[in-house]
C-alpha cells in the first residue's frame, strides 16, 4: 500500500485543507493576474469576442515568463494527481456522493488551468517560430547579397582581363612599311616632324593613309565591277544569240540530210560518228579506225559504226579519272608511315567488296561491225571491259531466207575462226586472278553469256596477250596492262573480215544442208549436186534411212569413237549427228562430227556395220577401216574444192562406197564358199583386194567409170 494510503484521517483532512488553501491561493493569484487584463480598455465594437480573447492571451503570454507557468503547471498536475487519488479512496470507502462531486469539480477546475497554460505555451512557440523564420529570411537575404557581390567581382575581373588582353582591329591590318609610307604619303598626312618621334602619332598617320588608299581602291573596284557587269551583259546577250542560233543550224542541217543522202555524202552522220569515236577507249578506237579505213578502201560491204550514249561516255571518262587520282593518293599515303598500314588495308577491303560489282563493268560506247555477203549480214558489237582489259563480241545474224538453226547460233557462229579460239576463255591471263579476287568463280559463258572474248577480236583492237607473263601476287590488284598496237590491228583486219564472211557463207550452206536432211524424205533426197554427177557412178543402191542430231556425251561413250576422241581429232566443240544407211540386211551406222571450222575441216565419219547378226568396227574389220579412211581422207581428190554442199556430197560418196564394200565382201565369200548375205553387183571393179595391205577398190576412176585400188 502506498504511503499516502496509510495516513490517518486527520492528516488527510489537514492535507486536504492545505491543498484547498493552496488552490484558493493559486486561483486568487490567477484572478489577480487576470484582473489587469480585464481592466484593459475596451476595443472597438467591430472586433469580436474571440479576437479580444486572442489579444489578451497574446499579451499575457508575452508578459508572463515561461518559468513561472512551468512551476504552476507542476503544482496543478500535483494537485490533480492528489484529487484523483482522493476520489479513488472515497469511492473505495463508499463515501457520500457530495464529497466525490466536490472533488470532481475541483479537478475540473484544474483542467481549465492546464488548458490555459497550454494555450499560452502554443502562443509562445508560434512567436518563437515566427522570429526564427524572420531571422532565416534575413540570413538568406545577406547570403544573396554576398553572392551578387561575388558575381560582380568576377564580372569585373573578366572585364579587366579583356581590357588587359584587348587587341585593336588595326593590329590585324597589313600596313605598308614605314619607309614606303614616308615616300608615298603627302606631308600633310605623314607629318615627319611629329611622327618620327611619336610612335602613336606614326601609327595613327599610317592608319589614316591606309584608310585613304583603301577608299581609292574601293572606288576603283566598284568601277571595275560595273565594267564587268556591263561585259557580262554583252556576253549573255551574245550567248543568247548563239543559243538561238544552235536550233536554227540544227534545223538547217536536218533539212540537208535528204540532199546528203542523194549525193551519197552523209556529212551529218559522219560528224556524229567522229564525235562519238573521240570518246572511245583506245582499243575500240583502233578497231574503229582500222575497220573504217579498210571499208572505205577495199570493201564497201563492211559497215562500221559507233553506238552508245555520248553524255554517259563523258561522265564515265570523268569518273574514271577521279578514281585513278584517288587510287594514286591512297598509294602515296600508304608509303608515309607504318601506322597508316591498317587504314590502307581497310580501304583495300572496302574496294575489294566494290570490285565484285565493278570487275565486269562495260564501257558505255561500243563499235558495231557489219559484214555482208549479199543480203545475208552478221552484226558484231565490240564492247570494252574496263577492269578486265579485254574486248568482247556480241554476234547477231540476219539472212535473206530467214534461215535458222544450230549451225547459225550466235554463240558458236564465229568460234574457232582461228585454231583454238573458242571464245570461252579470256586471252588475258590476269583475268583469272582478277575474277578470283572479286569472288567470281563461274565460267565466262555464265558471267557474260552474250559477250565472248575472241582472240581475233583482241587482234582487231590491237591487243596481243601472247607475251604476257604469269601474273604475280602483287599484280592481282590491277592486272597486267597491255598497250594496244595499231600495227597489229592493221595486219589482222583484212584476214579477219575475210574469214568472217567465209564463215557466214559456210554456215548458211551447212544449215541449208542440215535443214534438207531433217525436213525432206531421205529416200527421195538428191544428195549430189548436178555439177558432180560425172564424178560418181550413176547407180547407187544403198539408201540413207535416218539422220538426227546427237551430243558429245553419247558420241564419246561409243566404243568405235575412242580412236578419234583420244587423239583430239574430235572434241566437245564439234556438232554431232547420227546417220543410218541401209542396203537390204546391211545397216551402216555413221557417227558424224562437224567441226566449228567447217568446211576448212571436213566432217569426220566414224563407221560401224551390222551384217548377218555381226557388228563390225575398225578394231574388228580391216574393210571397214579402209572404208572410213577413204570417206574421211579421199574425198578432196574426187570432189575437189567445193563451194557448197560438202556434207551431202560426202554422204552420197558414203552410199556409193558402201555398195562397193558390200559387193566386194559378197564376192570374196562366194570365192571361198562361205554362206552369208549376197549382194548383187552394181558397181564395176576388177579385183576385190590388191597388194600386201589387201586394199579395196574404193577409188573411182571417172574416165573409165570403174573402181580401183589406190
Amino acid at each position: 500500500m502506498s504511503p499516502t494510503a496509510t495516513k490517518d484521517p486527520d492528516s488527510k483532512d489537514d492535507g486536504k485543507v492545505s491543498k484547498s488553501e493552496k488552490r484558493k491561493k493559486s486561483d486568487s493569484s490567477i484572478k489577480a493576474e487576470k484582473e489587469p487584463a480585464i481592466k484593459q480598455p475596451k476595443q472597438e465594437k467591430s472586433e469580436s469576442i474571440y479576437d479580444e480573447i486572442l489579444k489578451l492571451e497574446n499579451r499575457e503570454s508575452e508578459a508572463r515568463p515561461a518559468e513561472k507557468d512551468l512551476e504552476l503547471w507542476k503544482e496543478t498536475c500535483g494537485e490533480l494527481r492528489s484529487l484523483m487519488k482522493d476520489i479513488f479512496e472515497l469511492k473505495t470507502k463508499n463515501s457520500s456522493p457530495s464529497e466525490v462531486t466536490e472533488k470532481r469539480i475541483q479537478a475540473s477546475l484544474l483542467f481549465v488551468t492546464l488548458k490555459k497554460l497550454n494555450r499560452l505555451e502554443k502562443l509562445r512557440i508560434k512567436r518563437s517560430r515566427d522570429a526564427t523564420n524572420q531571422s532565416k529570411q534575413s540570413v538568406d537575404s545577406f547570403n544573396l547579397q554576398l553572392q551578387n557581390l561575388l558575381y560582380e567581382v568576377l564580372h569585373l575581373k573578366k572585364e579587366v582581363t579583356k581590357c588587359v588582353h584587348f587587341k585593336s582591329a588595326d593590329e590585324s591590318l597589313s600596313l605598308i612599311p614605314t619607309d614606303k609610307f614616308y615616300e608615298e604619303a603627302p606631308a600633310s598626312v605623314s607629318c615627319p616632324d611629329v611622327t618620327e618621334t611619336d610612335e602613336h602619332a606614326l601609327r595613327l598617320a599610317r592608319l589614316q593613309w591606309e584608310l585613304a588608299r583603301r577608299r581609292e581602291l574601293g572606288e576603283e573596284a566598284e568601277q571595275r565591277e560595273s565594267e564587268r557587269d556591263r561585259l557580262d551583259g554583252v556576253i549573255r546577250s551574245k550567248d543568247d544569240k548563239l543559243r538561238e542560233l544552235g536550233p536554227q543550224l540544227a534545223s538547217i542541217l536536218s533539212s540537208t540530210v535528204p540532199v546528203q543522202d542523194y549525193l551519197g555524202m552523209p556529212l551529218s552522220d559522219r560528224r556524229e560518228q567522229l564525235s562519238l569515236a573521240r570518246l572511245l577507249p583506245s582499243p575500240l578506237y583502233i578497231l574503229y579506225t582500222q575497220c573504217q579505213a579498210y571499208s572505205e578502201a577495199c570493201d564497201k560491204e563492211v559497215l562500221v559504226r559507233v553506238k552508245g550514249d555520248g553524255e554517259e561516255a563523258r561522265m564515265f571518262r570523268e569518273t574514271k579519272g577521279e578514281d585513278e587520282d584517288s587510287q594514286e593518293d591512297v598509294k602515296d599515303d600508304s608509303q608515309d608511315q607504318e601506322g597508316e598500314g591498317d587504314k590502307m588495308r581497310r580501304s583495300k577491303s572496302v574496294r575489294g567488296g566494290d570490285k565484285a560489282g565493278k570487275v565486269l563493268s562495260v564501257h558505255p560506247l561500243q563499235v558495231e561491225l557489219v559484214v555482208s555477203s549479199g543480203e545475208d549480214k552478221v552484226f558484231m558489237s565490240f564492247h570494252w571491259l574496263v577492269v578486265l582489259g579485254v574486248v568482247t563480241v556480241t554476234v547477231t545474224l540476219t539472212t535473206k531466207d530467214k534461215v535458222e538453226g544450230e549451225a547459225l547460233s550466235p554463240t558458236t557462229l564465229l568460234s574457232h575462226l582461228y585454231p583454238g579460239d573458242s571464245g570461252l576463255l579470256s586471252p588475258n591471263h590476269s583475268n583469272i586472278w582478277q575474277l578470283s579476287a572479286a569472288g567470281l568463280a563461274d565460267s565466262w559463258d555464265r558471267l557474260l553469256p552474250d559477250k565472248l572474248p575472241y582472240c581475233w577480236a583482241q587482234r582487231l583492237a590491237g591487243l596481243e596477250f601472247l607475251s604476257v607473263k604469269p601474273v604475280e601476287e602483287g599484280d592481282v590488284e590491277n592486272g597486267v596492262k597491255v598497250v594496244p598496237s595499231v600495227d597489229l590491228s592493221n595486219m589482222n583486219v583484212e584476214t579477219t573480215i575475210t574469214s568472217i564472211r567465209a564463215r557466214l557463207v559456210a554456215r548458211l550452206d551447212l544449215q541449208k544442208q542440215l535443214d534438207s536432211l531433217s525436213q525432206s524424205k531421205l529416200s527421195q533426197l538428191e544428195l549430189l549436186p548436178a555439177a558432180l554427177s560425172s564424178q560418181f557412178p550413176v547407180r547407187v543402191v544403198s539408201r540413207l534411212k535416218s539422220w538426227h542430231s546427237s551430243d558429245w556425251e553419247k558420241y564419246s561413250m561409243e566404243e568405235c569413237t575412242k580412236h578419234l576422241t583420244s587423239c583430239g581429232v574430235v572434241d566437245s566443240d564439234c556438232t554431232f549427228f547420227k546417220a543410218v544407211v541401209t542396203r537390204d540386211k546391211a545397216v551402216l551406222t555413221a557417227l558424224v562430227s562437224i567441226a566449228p571450222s567447217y568446211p576448212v575441216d571436213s566432217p569426220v565419219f566414224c563407221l560401224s556395220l551390222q551384217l548377218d547378226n555381226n557388228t563390225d568396227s575398225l578394231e574388228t574389220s580391216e574393210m571397214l577401216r579402209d572404208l572410213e579412211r577413204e570417206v574421211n581422207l579421199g574425198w578432196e581428190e574426187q570432189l575437189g574444192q567445193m563451194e557448197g554442199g560438202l556434207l551431202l556430197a560426202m554422204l552420197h560418196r558414203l552410199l556409193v562406197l558402201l555398195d562397193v564394200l558390200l559387193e566386194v565382201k559378197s564376192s570374196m565369200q562366194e570365192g571361198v564358199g562361205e554362206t552369208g548375205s549376197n549382194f548383187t553387183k552394181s558397181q564395176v571393179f576388177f579385183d576385190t583386194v590388191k597388194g600386201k595391205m589387201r586394199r579395196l577398190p574404193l577409188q573411182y576412176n571417172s574416165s573409165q567409170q570403174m573402181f580401183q585400188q589406190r
Side-chain angles (χ1 to χ4, degrees), residues 310-453:
E311 293 298 329
E312 186 177 356
R314 292 186 182 90
M315 294 175 61
F316 185 85
R317 175 178 290 184
E318 295 174 358
T319 306
K320 182 180 178 182
E322 294 176 357
D323 293 342
E324 291 178 354
D325 296 339
S326 63
Q327 290 178 2
E328 292 178 358
D329 295 340
V330 171
K331 290 181 180 178
D332 295 338
D333 294 342
S334 64
Q335 299 174 358
D336 293 341
Q337 295 179 357
E338 184 179 357
E340 297 180 357
D342 296 337
K343 181 179 179 180
M344 183 61 187
R345 283 191 290 272
R346 288 194 297 270
S347 63
K348 281 186 178 180
S349 64
V350 173
R351 290 198 305 272
D354 297 339
K355 194 174 181 180
K358 295 181 180 179
V359 68
L360 299 177
S361 60
V362 183
H363 195 275
L365 295 181
Q366 63 267 8
V367 177
E368 184 183 67
L369 177 64
V370 183
V371 178
S372 303
S373 176
E375 297 185 9
D376 302 321
K377 299 180 181 179
V378 57
F379 297 83
M380 294 161 285
S381 296
F382 295 86
H383 303 267
W384 173 247
L385 301 185
V386 182
V387 179
L388 298 181
V390 294
V391 176
T392 62
V393 185
T394 302
V395 181
T396 56
L397 183 70
T398 60
T399 60
K400 175 183 178 181
D401 300 328
K402 305 298 181 181
V403 181
E404 295 180 355
E406 184 178 0
L408 298 178
S409 174
T411 56
T412 60
L413 179 63
L414 300 181
S415 63
H416 296 273
L417 199 63
Y418 293 95
D421 188 10
S422 63
L424 300 179
L425 296 176
S426 173
N428 189 351
H429 302 290
S430 63
N431 291 164
I432 300 174
W433 302 98
Q434 289 175 306
L435 294 173
S436 177
L440 301 174
D442 294 334
S443 59
W444 191 280
D445 55 345
R446 291 187 178 181
L447 294 175
L448 297 170
D450 297 331
K451 297 179 176 63
L452 301 178

Side-chain angles (χ1 to χ4, degrees), residues 75 133 271 405 410 539 652:
E75 291 177 358
N133 291 333
R271 183 167 46 252
R539 184 180 180 186
H652 181 80

Side-chain angles (χ1 to χ4, degrees), residues 85 147 270 460 481:
K85 190 175 181 180
Q147 295 296 328
R270 185 177 300 175
L460 285 180
K481 185 176 181 180

Side-chain angles (χ1 to χ4, degrees), residues 19-143:
K19 290 180 180 179
S20 62
E21 290 177 355
K22 289 180 180 180
R23 185 174 63 253
K24 290 178 181 179
K25 290 180 180 181
S26 63
D27 293 338
S28 63
S29 63
I30 291 172
K31 290 179 181 180
E33 292 175 357
K34 289 182 179 180
E35 284 178 1
I38 297 172
K39 291 181 180 181
Q40 293 293 330
K42 293 183 180 180
Q43 302 294 329
E44 295 178 1
K45 293 182 180 181
S46 62
E47 294 180 353
S48 64
I49 298 175
Y50 176 77
D51 295 335
E52 292 179 0
I53 294 173
L54 185 59
K55 291 179 180 179
L56 289 174
E57 288 180 348
N58 285 331
R59 286 195 294 271
E60 188 174 358
S61 63
E62 294 175 358
R64 294 176 54 151
E67 292 80 3
K68 186 175 181 181
D69 288 346
L70 179 60
E71 293 177 358
L72 180 59
W73 179 77
K74 290 180 180 180
E75 291 177 358
T76 304
C77 289
E79 291 179 3
L80 184 60
R81 192 182 295 110
S82 61
L83 286 174
M84 292 298 176
K85 190 175 181 180
D86 293 342
I87 293 172
F88 178 72
E89 291 177 353
L90 290 175
K91 286 186 177 182
T92 53
K93 294 179 180 180
N94 294 325
S95 299
S96 61
S98 61
E99 294 180 358
V100 175
T101 303
E102 181 64 23
K103 296 291 184 180
R104 186 178 297 167
I105 292 171
Q106 294 177 3
S108 300
L109 292 175
L110 292 176
F111 273 111
V112 173
T113 302
L114 290 176
K115 287 184 178 181
K116 177 69 174 180
L117 293 174
N118 183 42
R119 287 197 302 274
L120 294 176
E121 185 62 25
K122 294 294 183 182
L123 292 174
R124 289 193 189 94
I125 292 173
K126 181 178 180 301
R127 189 165 54 254
S128 299
R129 287 178 178 173
D130 294 341
T132 303
N133 291 333
Q134 187 175 0
S135 300
K136 286 183 178 180
Q137 290 178 357
S138 62
V139 171
D140 292 340
S141 176
F142 291 145
N143 189 17

Side-chain angles (χ1 to χ4, degrees), residues 594-609:
I594 302 177
S597 56
Y598 171 91
V600 177
D601 294 330
S602 61
V604 178
F605 289 76
C606 183
L607 307 178
S608 63
L609 178 62

